[in-house]
Every structure is written in C-alpha cells, then in structure tokens.
Amino acid sequence: MSYLPNPSLQITADHQIKFVEAPVHEPGKGEVLLHIKATGICGSDVHFWKTGRIGELIFKGDCIIGHEAAGVVLKCGEGVTHLQPGDRVAVEPGVPCENCFLCDDGRYNLCEDVAFAGVYPYPGTVQRYKVHPAKWLHKLPDNLSYLDGALLEPLSVTMRGIQVAQLELGRGVVICGAGPIGLIAATAARASGAHPIVVTDIDESRLRFAKEFVPTASTYQINPALDAQGNAKGIRALFGDNEYTAPDRVLECTGVESSICTAAYTARRGGLVVVIGVGKEIINNLPFMHLSLAEIDLKFINRYRDTWPRAIACMAAGFFDLKPLVSHKFPLERAQEALELCGDRQRPSIKVTIVDELEATI
C-alpha cells in the first residue's frame, strides 16, 4: 500500500505553530491505521497553543494536536477482529493504561497514565494518517457522517456533565457559556427533558445562535458592569421570583473564574454546580462560605467514560443534529488557518473543523 504525504499541524513548547509532514506508522498488535477524515478544533487546542499547558498537562516539545475526530480504517494490525479496512469510525482519543486502580474500578477517565491524542507527547488527529488502538474506535452507522463522528467527542463531554448533574424531566438548568460545549449541553439537556433551560454568555451574537439552535431555551446576556451576585439575580429572575422555582442545577461550560462565581450564586440552596469548562490552574475567589452555608455542591468532570456508544445511539436516532454548530470547514492543507481563526476573538466562530477529502492511498 502506498500513501500520500502526511501533513500535520503541530504546536511547540514556545507557542509556535508548525505545519510539517509526519511519518506514517504501521499498525502494531491491536492497532489500526486510520485515514482521519474530520477533526474539530477544541478550545483546549487553542489553550495549549497560547499557554503551553492546562493544569498539569504541559507541552514540553512539538506535538500534533487534535482529538475530536473520525476517519476510515485503512489497515488492521495483528489481533484486530471487530474492524476491517473500509470501516468508518469515531476516535475515542483517550487510551488509559488499564492497569491502575482507577481503570480496574471502571473510572478510566481519571487514569493518570492515559495516552490522550493531541496532548504532549501523544500525537493527535490533525494529520492525514494516525495509528490508534482498535479498542478505542467506535463504528459509525450509515446515517452519521464523518462530521457527525468528529462531534461525538464534545457531545461525550457534555453527556458526562449531564450524568454528573443528574438532569431529568422537568428539572431546570442554567448553562453558563454559549460556546460549542455550552450549546451542545443545551440541546442535550433539552433531549433529557430538563426544563426550563437558560443559556448565558457575554456575547450577544452567541446568545442569538443559542436561541436558534435550542428554541425552547431562554437566554441571559452577562452584564460585565455587575458582579457575580448581580448577574445571578438576573438569571434567577428568568425562573420566577421564589426559591422553589430557582434553578437547582447549573452546568458551567466556560471555566472562567467570574462565570464559576456567578454559577455558585445562581444555584438555589441545596443545588449543584457542575464545572465542565477548562480554566486557570488556580482560582482564588470562589464564594466559599456561600457554597458552604447553602450546601451547594460544586463538582467537576474530567472528560468522559462509557459515553461513546450512547452518544452514537442518540445522534443516529435523531435526538439532535449538531452539524449546525460547524461554522467553518478547512481542508487539511489549511489547518493552520483553522487554528488561527479559533484563537482570534475578533473573528467569530463556533466549531471549526478540518476535513480531508482526498483518497488516502495511491
């Protein structure tokens, strides 16, 4: 089998972007060689580029980025029986060690030795060819496109958040942030039966899109002239004027300190705030005593576990269509432009996706 060149998008430890050819590896035991057909750019990719780290995850050298991906199997390594060349698959990017106590307990998303695509030193999916363990690939049904497959990763993030928040029929929820994760959280919350739903953001245009994307949701534009308590009061007013109707679930999808504080004051006494967003390594200004006296639970999620089959089933059944979130598509050859667009706050975008429509072999 002969391959085309393998261009890849890499970022460096000193915050540079490189678009260079990468080697094409043969699949080993239990692995397959993929032709990556679509990769969504995530906010974490931009964060790694701009800052070089997310918490304890540090870029110490050049690394191919990307983890929201789908592709087609080109070649199977020894021992792979459930996949064959031509299969269309979604990539679950985290490969846990499967030997630690967390993996033994089924909490593989917390594995400290996870090899996560696009996080140094593990190569990501913004390249034409990638080797990946077959166990962590999921077949796509015929009615889901590669674009759908790439959106399964952020959907899995929000499904984990909804699971932790225990959303259910008639339970009201506030979703802080109308970026891709917040928007997916809103439509997934609606599919779960949660009601009413309020989406907040500081950007009016994003809120307009949120209303179009989830028409049954209400929106609240964060007022930067108000403090966290002031904005929380405005959000809670959309749920009525008493404690009984105040929201008892908040999904914080930005990771921004001021938004987490607003979320804390928005939840009613005895409520729950689930932080999905990625933020600064240290946050100093949480309203500790308010959370304590009101017995508001503050919980966090780390990626996802056991969500991919359910995410595929929901999307294939038509519970929601996430493709309207894709505001921009770039060919692989213009991957650097895609990342730069995502990192430019002056140029609005929602979900930027890199696609490769070429035939993978010659």
Side-chain angles (χ1 to χ4, degrees), residues 3 5 8 23 80 91 100 114 122 136 167 190 224 244 251 292 301 309 312-313 350 353 361:
Y3 304 110
S8 70
V80 176
V91 179
C100 67
V114 62
Y122 306 106
W136 303 100
L167 289 191
R190 180 57 182 160
Y244 292 101
L251 299 179
S292 175
I301 69 161
I312 289 171
I350 300 175
T353 302
T361 59

Side-chain angles (χ1 to χ4, degrees), residues 6-24:
N6 187 28
S8 70
L9 185 67
Q10 305 182 16
I11 57 176
T12 70
D14 60 350
H15 316 303
Q16 303 301 310
I17 306 173
K18 296 169 60 177
F19 190 66
V20 296
E21 187 165 349
V24 181

Side-chain angles (χ1 to χ4, degrees), residues 12 27 31 39 66 112 155 196 226 258 330 356:
T12 70
E31 296 178 332
T39 295
E112 290 188 277
L155 174 57
L226 297 177
S258 60
F330 287 83
D356 187 21

Side-chain angles (χ1 to χ4, degrees), residues 121-162:
Y122 306 106
T125 59
V126 185
Q127 55 179 324
R128 179 163 287 129
Y129 305 104
K130 175 173 171 51
V131 167
H132 199 75
K135 179 178 179 179
W136 303 100
L137 298 171
H138 305 272
K139 285 186 181 180
L140 291 172
D142 291 341
N143 67 334
L144 293 187
S145 67
Y146 292 116
L147 209 59
D148 291 317
L151 288 162
L152 287 165
E153 197 276 346
L155 174 57
S156 285
V157 172
T158 61
M159 288 180 70
R160 177 63 181 154
I162 285 173

